[in-house]
Amino acid sequence: MASNRHLGRIIALQTLYEVEFRNESGDKDVTLEEVLARNISRYQKAVDDKSFIERLVNGVTKEEAKLDDVLRPVAPEWPIEQIARMDRVVLHIGLYELLHEKDVPPKVVINEAVELAKSFGGDNSSKFINGVLGTVLRQHEGSKDSGTKASKKGKRLEKTKTDSGN
């Protein structure tokens, strides 16, 4: 399943990248659902966990503004809008997984994001992705008093009652 999840992340990356590119290019006919369905169908024989891909794509899309809010203070010299599109999409996927995919260990999430950056990003993308996601993980692991905590099992990032306003 691990390599299947890697392929799933690639499909999610392709989908999110294409939709963002086409939207910014003024393509009014693009829909997330159509692009996602097409990309999954291309690899249907190799993909077993379609729900994982759908969770990533839909989750990143739904949570994009919140993900950007987490990323901004971690890389203040790199405004979100100025980060290369591919790096930004990889960061969004990695951060979404760190925050929401409880069955994937954080170090695996970061490693997978780094591998995506090596394959699809620029020369320094993998170092940038590793640094940003590693910083987010360390900050969240050390910020039990500020509303997030790392659970003892797998050091998963979790939201506490302070995050939800309760």
Side-chain angles (χ1 to χ4, degrees), residues 36-146:
L36 178 59
R38 184 189 68 234
N39 287 341
I40 289 175
S41 72
R42 286 182 179 165
Y43 300 98
Q44 65 186 349
K45 292 181 181 177
V47 174
D48 295 328
D49 194 359
K50 294 176 186 165
S51 65
F52 173 71
I53 302 167
E54 292 166 347
R55 273 195 324 271
L56 284 182
V57 169
N58 293 323
V60 167
T61 301
K62 178 182 174 195
E63 300 286 325
E64 185 173 7
K66 292 177 186 175
L67 297 173
D68 287 346
D69 289 343
V70 173
L71 292 171
R72 276 189 186 92
V74 177
E77 64 281 357
W78 289 98
I80 297 295
E81 302 75 24
Q82 292 180 9
I83 296 173
R85 178 178 287 113
M86 185 61 70
D87 293 352
R88 188 172 56 243
V89 174
V90 171
L91 281 171
H92 283 157
I93 292 170
L95 184 56
Y96 179 82
E97 277 196 271
L98 280 175
L99 297 173
H100 299 286
E101 289 294 318
K102 299 187 184 326
D103 65 326
V104 184
K107 289 185 180 184
V108 171
V109 169
I110 293 172
N111 185 57
E112 283 290 321
V114 167
E115 291 303 314
L116 289 175
K118 285 179 182 177
S119 297
F120 300 103
D123 291 341
N124 295 314
S125 295
S126 61
K127 293 176 187 173
F128 178 67
I129 300 296
N130 187 51
V132 171
L133 293 178
T135 299
V136 170
L137 180 60
R138 283 190 302 280
Q139 286 179 348
H140 280 78
E141 284 178 338
S143 67
K144 292 179 183 177
D145 296 332
S146 68

